[in-house]
Amino acid sequence: MAAPEAEVNTHTGKLEFSLDVPFPSAEEAIIALRSLSPDREPRRGGISKQLSVSGNTLYVRWSADEARTLRVSVSSFMDHLSLVLETMEAFGPAVKLHT
Amino acid sequence: MTVVIGFEGSANKIGIGIIRDGEVLSNPRRTYITPPGQGFMPSDTARHHRAVILTVLKEALDQAGLKPADIDCVAYTKGPGMGAPLVTVALVARTVAQLWGKPLLGVNHCVGHIEMGRLITKANNPTVLYVSGGNTQVIAYSERRYRIFGETIDIAVGNCLDRFARVIKISNDPSPGYNIEQMAKKGSQYVELPYTVKGMDVSFSGILSYIEEAAHKMLSSGQCTAEDLCFSLQETLFSMLVEITERAMAHCGSQEVLIVGGVGCNLRLQEMMDVMCKERGAKLFATDERFCIDNGAMIAQAGWEMFRSGHVTELKDSWITQRYRTDEVEVTWRD
């Protein structure tokens, strides 16, 4: 995984953090994306995150007003990501769907 | 033949159950129990669920003797409940639904209790009293909705009991409510407490404040025992619940009562409700602790009904929500 530092966006004044998570295949990255994206951030404002997949990689981009909110969100995300990975490991591989 | 797996984890119980056409094939569950005097907090509860959920999932499949290919639909609790635990469970449900190539179904936790109660007891069209640590509602079915006839205007009855258990520092194992029930049997002195029925609704936070203060005063001066307070609290709370249930029955002309939710395990509540039912020539239905306490099979059962009447939840719409009213669900599987 890359990018361990948060940076301040000098235009918006917000803290930004990014995470690039490589997966063995695009399919698995998409499964992770679809599991991790539906839930909204808890009530507390001043934080948003964007998830996307390109190739085999899941990209996560945070934008936050405060360092504390950013830390909590990233920490939760890491817990959630690791649960999804463990689930994929225990109950994968994905079945091939005939469409 | 339709097989549905249900995931439940909105409070401190994590359960996964499998139902095939009205038959419970498996229903394993784990409970996060805190030390006496402490309640369960969202992040700790989520951590508990996360640690055991994959094990419980394997158990559910093994005990049912099924493989993922045998499942037709993956149901999970969309809400209401505690945010962090709900997310933990939804993540696994979403992931396995995709891995196994099965449709996903977000279920309302309250509707899960109702549908399980209907399945197990075969009650036809009862007035439902749904009482748990998180919810207190009197519900009746009418025209495609589970209508809320009466409810708590502040805390749930189970929450009142659980928080009183913390004050007198009794064990939370197997549940604080169960231990209050056992202690209440040994109570003999009735301590008068506020009785707060408000029309069709009830209020419990005032009773809680009152009894918390009374406990400190009366127990230290030896005026009564903790058993007496447990007894008095149950009598008061349960009388209030019987009253609002009866009021709803009178409105609906109903001859059946179904009690669901964790507090529904309480035999004294069942006894008191039965007295009222007999007076009205009505019948009481209740389930045992396997099904009245939160469990996965109840989510599977509601999911079974929903799936067979055409509901499906798209992944992008599968977000969890802490607030989800019982009457928000379109009950398309009943007339």
Side-chain angles (χ1 to χ4, degrees):
Chain A
M1 289 193 247
E5 287 171 21
E7 296 171 337
V8 181
N9 180 316
T10 44
H11 296 288
T12 61
K14 289 188 190 284
L15 287 165
E16 291 180 352
F17 185 71
S18 36
L19 213 57
D20 301 345
V21 187
F23 280 81
S25 68
E27 185 187 36
E28 282 158 280
I30 289 171
I31 290 178
L33 172 74
R34 289 184 180 151
S35 291
L36 291 160
S37 48
D39 298 306
R40 297 143 185 177
E41 288 294 310
R43 266 187 311 258
R44 179 183 278 275
I47 180 110
S48 70
K49 74 175 188 287
Q50 302 293 332
L51 287 118
S52 61
V53 163
S54 179
N56 289 4
T57 309
L58 173 70
Y59 295 93
V60 197
R61 298 288 177 267
W62 278 268
S63 173
D65 291 339
E66 292 173 13
R68 188 168 40 111
T69 351
L70 179 61
R71 265 202 305 274
V72 169
S73 182
V74 173
S75 175
S76 294
F77 180 80
M78 297 307 286
D79 285 340
H80 296 164
L81 174 65
S82 92
L83 178 57
V84 169
L85 292 173
E86 264 185 63
T87 307
M88 288 168 74
E89 187 131 348
F91 292 94
V95 298
K96 302 282 174 239
L97 291 172
H98 304 280
T99 39
Chain B
M1 190 173 74
T2 307
V3 181
V4 180
I5 187 167
F7 289 71
E8 157 55 30
S10 58
N12 66 331
K13 277 75 71 185
I14 165 99
I16 299 175
I18 301 181
I19 292 221
R20 178 181 58 206
D21 295 338
E23 198 191 335
V24 179
L25 300 181
S26 62
N27 200 14
R29 171 175 70 208
R30 300 277 195 285
T31 306
Y32 171 48
I33 296 174
T34 44
Q38 288 181 36
F40 52 91
M41 305 296 273
S43 50
D44 300 328
T45 307
R47 206 166 301 133
H48 166 271
H49 292 355
R50 191 209 174 309
V52 301
I53 188 171
L54 297 179
T55 308
V56 178
L57 175 51
K58 284 193 196 90
E59 262 172 41
L61 290 164
D62 292 344
Q63 286 169 19
L66 295 179
K67 293 182 307 297
D70 304 320
I71 309 274
D72 294 304
C73 172
V74 175
Y76 70 100
T77 306
K78 184 177 174 67
M82 300 171 95
L86 282 169
V87 170
T88 302
V89 175
L91 285 172
V92 175
R94 287 177 200 133
T95 305
V96 297
Q98 292 180 82
L99 290 172
W100 300 343
K102 306 293 176 185
L104 190 63
L105 242 180
V107 173
N108 179 304
H109 179 89
C110 318
V111 173
H113 276 291
I114 297 172
E115 292 304 333
M116 199 64 195
R118 288 180 64 227
L119 174 72
I120 298 294
T121 66
K122 311 265 180 283
N124 181 38
N125 189 18
T127 301
V128 179
L129 175 66
Y130 170 32
V131 275
S132 70
N135 293 278
T136 295
Q137 298 173 5
V138 178
I139 293 157
Y141 172 75
S142 172
E143 293 187 30
R144 301 285 166 115
R145 298 273 164 165
Y146 284 118
R147 314 269 170 189
I148 301 172
F149 273 69
E151 60 187 319
T152 175
I153 61 174
D154 41 58
I155 60 176
V157 64
N159 191 240
C160 182
L161 290 162
D162 292 351
R163 285 161 71 176
F164 176 64
R166 285 183 232 165
V167 165
I168 57 175
K169 294 232 178 1
I170 61 178
S171 170
N172 291 322
D173 188 3
S175 77
Y178 177 83
N179 292 327
I180 289 179
E181 182 177 1
Q182 304 320 305
M183 284 178 72
K185 290 177 190 168
K186 297 185 222 137
S188 49
Q189 193 193 150
Y190 174 69
V191 175
E192 190 156 349
L193 301 170
Y195 183 92
T196 39
V197 168
K198 318 249 173 198
M200 303 287 296
D201 295 327
V202 281
S203 162
F204 297 117
S205 58
I207 302 177
L208 178 62
S209 313
Y210 186 95
I211 199 174
E212 281 175 337
E213 210 193 299
H216 289 124
K217 273 206 307 262
M218 296 176 85
L219 293 179
S220 49
S221 68
Q223 271 177 274
C224 71
T225 63
E227 286 80 359
D228 295 332
L229 290 174
C230 288
F231 163 69
S232 308
L233 184 60
Q234 285 199 164
E235 296 301 297
T236 308
L237 298 178
F238 298 164
S239 299
M240 290 165 58
L241 295 174
V242 171
E243 181 179 335
I244 61 166
T245 307
E246 184 169 17
R247 197 156 282 133
M249 288 168 79
H251 276 274
C252 304
S254 166
Q255 289 298 97
E256 293 174 316
V257 173
L258 170 64
I259 309 180
V260 299
V263 180
C265 297
N266 190 301
L267 296 174
R268 180 59 187 143
L269 172 60
Q270 290 181 28
E271 189 179 41
M272 290 169 74
M273 193 67 73
D274 200 35
V275 169
M276 179 274 284
C277 284
K278 290 207 161 63
E279 284 173 3
R280 298 180 67 86
K283 192 153 188 276
L284 175 64
F285 296 90
T287 60
D288 63 51
E289 57 83 37
R290 288 171 298 164
F291 304 113
C292 55
I293 297 179
D294 290 347
N295 63 92
M298 74 187 197
I299 301 300
Q301 176 57 19
W304 186 92
E305 295 277 25
M306 292 172 75
F307 183 61
R308 285 174 50 118
S309 68
H311 292 247
V312 148
T313 305
E314 298 297 317
L315 276 154
K316 62 175 167 54
D317 300 323
S318 68
W319 37 267
I320 60 93
T321 173
Q322 292 187 232
R323 305 239 177 290
Y324 190 5
R325 296 286 283 170
T326 314
D327 52 16
E328 273 183 60
V329 178
E330 238 205 296
V331 183
T332 52
W333 55 96
R334 292 183 67 174
D335 303 311

